[in-house]
Amino acid sequence: MGKKIGRFLGVVLLIFLLWYFFLKPHDYVVRFKVKALPGTISQTIKFWGNQLEGNEFLGQNDLLNLKHRIKFNDSTYTYHWKIESQNDSISKVKVFVTDDDHSLANRLAVPFSETDFEKRTKKTVKEFTTVLKDHLQSFKVTITGKEEISSKYCACFSLKGTQRQKARGMMEYYSLLSSIMAQKNIVLDGTPLLKVGKWNMQKDSIYYNFCFPVIKSESLPKREGLSYIQIEKQAAIRAVYNGNYITSDRAWYALVEYAKKNNIPINQKPLEIFHNNPNMGGDDLLWETEVFMPIRD
């Protein structure tokens, strides 16, 4: 009986060692919790990674699973981030890290001592969490619930790019639209707005119209690339975003999560109305954007 138990335990140990050294998909894992939505964490990972020398983004399976590779002096590490929403405000993050060049050596050493690989991994993840916490202090999202998008007639330029490039596109076309409207003495019918026509969350890409609301008339100026669209009155869920327009998409993710929680069917085509001119400067937290997510009929 004792021999059988010994053989069984030996087989179990052998299977574990084979898995640990050859099949386990990572060398080390770091876990942390943070008061932030998954979309905000995902976008911050990509922004932070892009600032690092030797970083290569490897793609994402979805919003909650991202991979990138960072080259250090003598090693290349692959980071696989898995984000899980724990409740309305808390997310749990697991960072699975592999040393592409010294994986077996690290797996041998990690259980017995704190290796340079382990120290570097902890330091890198800590640097990210510091960036994330600073970012979370730079904006505020307040969801106000179901409201209505007002009907507007708008002069627009159609643009495309990543979510982070959205604000740059707005800045480029703000002066142009202002100049075109001023030449014809066109009276505006509200503050500038942005209407998303397509949002590819997988690739962080958007197709959108940046617009000035105007009074519809026969004398509106014509120009190559300038179009006029009618935004129809529509039910939506609304949020107020305070912060830099570069990261106003944090309100998009908040509205998507709110819709899921409350079983509200939505079209993921947000509309933003901007109440401050960023060219005037000032405290970003005092800038206000109304963000609407249309409700499906």
Side-chain angles (χ1 to χ4, degrees), residues 19-240:
W19 170 81
Y20 180 79
F21 287 111
F22 302 107
L23 300 177
K24 186 182 176 186
H26 59 273
D27 299 340
Y28 190 70
V29 60
V30 180
R31 299 173 176 86
F32 64 90
K33 293 181 181 180
V34 62
K35 189 174 182 179
L37 292 173
T40 296
I41 299 169
S42 178
Q43 289 298 318
T44 309
I45 290 169
K46 282 176 271 193
F47 170 76
W48 165 77
N50 286 337
Q51 312 308 306
L52 298 178
E53 185 177 351
N55 177 76
E56 178 189 0
F57 184 63
L58 301 177
Q60 60 185 65
N61 297 330
D62 52 46
L63 188 68
L64 307 178
N65 287 273
L66 305 89
K67 284 187 178 181
H68 66 122
R69 185 176 290 131
I70 304 175
K71 290 184 178 180
F72 295 100
N73 293 330
D74 56 348
S75 299
T76 301
Y77 295 175
T78 297
Y79 289 75
H80 181 189
W81 304 74
K82 288 190 176 182
I83 308 165
E84 179 185 339
S85 180
Q86 226 173 19
N87 55 44
D88 293 347
S89 59
I90 303 296
S91 294
K92 182 166 62 176
V93 182
K94 295 179 183 178
V95 192
F96 299 93
V97 187
T98 301
D99 185 335
D100 296 352
D101 304 309
H102 311 101
S103 180
L104 185 59
N106 283 317
R107 294 185 190 209
L108 281 167
V110 163
F112 306 105
S113 64
E114 188 176 36
T115 64
D116 289 341
F117 162 73
E118 187 178 350
K119 292 176 183 176
R120 182 178 285 171
T121 297
K122 288 179 179 178
K123 180 175 181 290
T124 302
V125 175
K126 185 176 180 181
E127 287 170 356
F128 165 74
T129 59
T130 300
V131 169
L132 176 60
K133 288 173 183 177
D134 288 345
H135 173 55
L136 293 172
Q137 298 298 316
S138 71
F139 71 91
K140 182 173 72 171
V141 176
T142 307
I143 295 178
T144 60
K146 291 185 179 180
E147 297 199 28
E148 196 171 66
I149 297 172
S150 300
S151 175
K152 290 286 182 181
Y153 191 72
C154 300
C156 308
F157 278 96
S158 296
L159 306 169
K160 64 179 179 179
T162 65
Q163 290 163 221
R164 282 197 65 82
Q165 292 169 341
K166 167 176 66 75
R168 185 188 304 169
M170 290 164 50
M171 291 177 66
E172 288 177 0
Y173 282 87
Y174 184 92
S175 298
L176 178 57
L177 272 170
S178 296
S179 174
I180 294 170
M181 297 299 114
Q183 287 172 12
K184 295 290 185 178
N185 296 316
I186 302 300
V187 177
L188 301 184
D189 186 29
T191 56
L193 60 85
L194 181 148
K195 186 178 188 298
V196 174
K198 183 179 179 182
W199 176 20
N200 187 326
M201 204 180 292
Q202 184 83 4
K203 297 181 179 179
D204 298 333
S205 65
I206 53 173
Y207 290 81
Y208 62 100
N209 286 302
F210 179 57
C211 311
F212 280 11
V214 296
I215 303 298
K216 189 175 183 179
S217 73
E218 296 296 326
S219 61
L220 289 173
K222 294 179 174 58
R223 182 190 175 105
E224 184 179 357
L226 179 66
S227 61
Y228 293 90
I229 65 171
Q230 178 70 51
I231 296 176
E232 302 294 346
K233 184 166 64 173
Q234 186 177 4
I237 48 176
R238 174 181 176 270
V240 175

